[in-house]
Amino acid sequence: MDEDSVVRWNVSKKMSLVIGARRHLEWGHEKYIMDMIQSHPAQAALGGGVGNLQRIRAFLRIRLRDYGVLDFDVGDARRQPPVDTTWQQIYFCLRTGYYNEARDVALSSRSAHQFAPLLTEWINTGGMVSAETAATASEECEKLLRMGDRVGRAAYVRKDCYYMP
């Protein structure tokens, strides 16, 4: 019996349907990302790296091609400030089912570091967080929405807030 079977055994049928639906949507989004990368290989600039986070970043190169240099592509710090893609990376990792990669991005970013423990709890509990964690995450999302000072940030953060608990 694998881990997924054990998790499903301990939850209600309704929750099992929700988990299955989420996995189906994640799989569909992963397929969409892969199709986009294959359709735009030059823009994706995937290179030899084929890990999950590299796929998300390749997808963002395509999606945000008109926004300038992205933070994960900065080679020269003296150039114009790069576009901070922290929240886009977290959102698309979550949307695609790459939970550990989303947590790693949050842990490595100053702008999302406070969000990392909340995300870790969400991952470790299979999406079932305490009311306190849900309230804290909601407050963090509201703060981010009020800030909304970066190009494209508010739209992705808003989706993150609804995707979390």
Side-chain angles (χ1 to χ4, degrees):
M1 189 179 272
D2 65 357
E3 185 179 328
D4 288 340
S5 298
V6 173
V7 169
R8 277 193 216 109
W9 186 261
N10 293 326
V11 297
S12 70
K13 287 182 183 181
K14 190 181 222 180
M15 192 61 185
S16 291
L17 286 172
V18 170
I19 291 168
R22 183 174 68 200
R23 288 202 177 123
H24 174 74
L25 292 171
E26 290 166 353
W27 175 82
H29 198 263
E30 183 177 37
K31 183 179 179 325
Y32 170 71
I33 284 176
M34 294 306 296
D35 289 347
M36 287 291 289
I37 291 169
Q38 290 172 355
S39 297
H40 303 87
Q43 286 176 326
L46 189 55
V50 291
N52 293 337
L53 187 55
Q54 288 76 25
R55 287 184 189 113
I56 295 299
R57 289 176 174 173
F59 175 74
L60 287 173
R61 283 186 195 102
I62 297 164
R63 183 103 180 212
L64 303 176
R65 66 182 166 268
D66 298 330
Y67 287 83
V69 178
L70 305 179
D71 54 356
F72 52 81
D73 283 336
V74 172
D76 184 1
R78 295 173 292 184
R79 294 179 62 188
Q80 68 181 21
V83 175
D84 181 1
T85 63
T86 299
W87 292 104
Q88 289 94 334
Q89 289 182 66
I90 292 170
Y91 170 74
F92 284 113
C93 282
L94 290 174
R95 177 67 180 87
T96 312
Y98 303 156
Y99 304 138
N100 293 327
E101 290 81 354
R103 183 191 61 231
D104 294 344
V105 170
L107 285 169
S108 67
S109 168
R110 285 184 298 168
S111 66
H113 197 72
Q114 293 172 304
F115 187 69
L118 306 173
L119 182 57
T120 299
E121 181 183 340
W122 183 83
I123 292 166
N124 291 340
T125 60
M128 310 284 239
V129 296
S130 66
E132 180 183 340
T133 298
T136 303
S138 182
E139 288 172 19
E140 286 297 314
C141 288
E142 288 300 321
K143 274 193 254 181
L144 291 168
L145 287 172
R146 284 192 301 272
M147 285 172 43
D149 59 341
R150 294 194 179 117
V151 176
R153 182 179 194 181
Y156 292 107
V157 173
R158 186 169 292 122
K159 289 178 184 177
D160 277 341
C161 290
Y162 295 120
Y163 190 80
M164 273 298 289

